[in-house]
Amino acid sequence: MTLVVAAIHDESRITMAADTLVTWDDGVRRPPQDSSLAKLAILRSDLAVGVTGCDPHGRLRDVIALRDEPVDVVLEQLKDDTVAGFVVAALGPARLWEVRSGAAYDRTAHQMAWDGEPEAYKEFSKRFTNEWVNTSAANDVPFRVMTAMQALTSFGLVSTVGGITLRVGTTDRGFRFIPDRGFVLGGSAWLIFVGNNPTPGAIGILDVRLGLGQLFPHHAPDDPITVRTTNPSAFVSMAHDHGQTVEYVAWPG
């Protein structure tokens, strides 16, 4: 399972977040890179989709195949998948849908859409609603979405939601991945490399301690490329060698 959440804020902007954990039913021990997947896909500057449920790699392939289709066609096609779930976000104007069990639910008026593990959403909602209510971040929806999801991915509150938090947000270029810093308490920290034109849907994740990263290509995020380096500049260069333009934004300090 997983958790994907999207929120409309500031009238016309959208923030989406998801975890990266992939769980397998066969009990086979797999290398770290096979247990992680970017479950948010930027189809184009005005359309992004999050996937949940069984076989997320296959769901991503299905979504990417719809990259150039109108939103109505995308929704109709995703409704045919009665096993997985999807959160669809569109700009111009800002709109949200939940797609599951053969139906698409317009969540625009509610300004929030989600799919995935119900217990995880319960934990997310509690933190999103309550944790920052009396602080200066009370009206900062992107920050609240990020931190509520990071509570799940960092502290293992729900066994089927984990890895790190990835976030897509509205920018002056439309939907783009946001270079948050990922971490797990007492464990690793990850660097995030975000796609830029001509491959805005690409994203990279690098565990500097292990010297192990994944590059999720714009055209095939379901088929990540393993990158072995500890150097952010080398990661960017290797991504370029694979035809992917990504950038690393260093955090202050």
Side-chain angles (χ1 to χ4, degrees), residues 7 16 20 35 44 50 52 62 83 91 107 114 122 127 145 165 177 192 213 244 246:
M16 302 182 73
T20 60
S35 298
R44 51 182 187 262
T52 71
D62 295 341
V83 177
L91 298 174
R107 298 290 295 174
W114 72 279
K122 180 180 177 181
R127 286 163 173 77
V145 167
T165 294
F177 283 103
I192 305 298
Q244 305 299 299
V246 299

Side-chain angles (χ1 to χ4, degrees), residues 66-89:
L66 301 170
R67 170 162 274 150
D68 298 323
E69 298 292 345
V71 175
D72 290 346
V73 173
V74 172
L75 293 172
E76 286 300 315
Q77 291 293 316
L78 296 183
K79 282 162 59 176
D80 289 341
D81 190 329
T82 58
V83 177
F86 306 89
V87 174
V88 179

Side-chain angles (χ1 to χ4, degrees), residues 22-41:
V22 176
T23 55
W24 302 86
D25 294 332
D26 55 18
V28 176
R29 185 176 179 85
R30 289 175 167 82
Q33 60 267 34
D34 289 345
S35 298
S36 178
L37 185 68
K39 302 171 193 174
L40 301 177

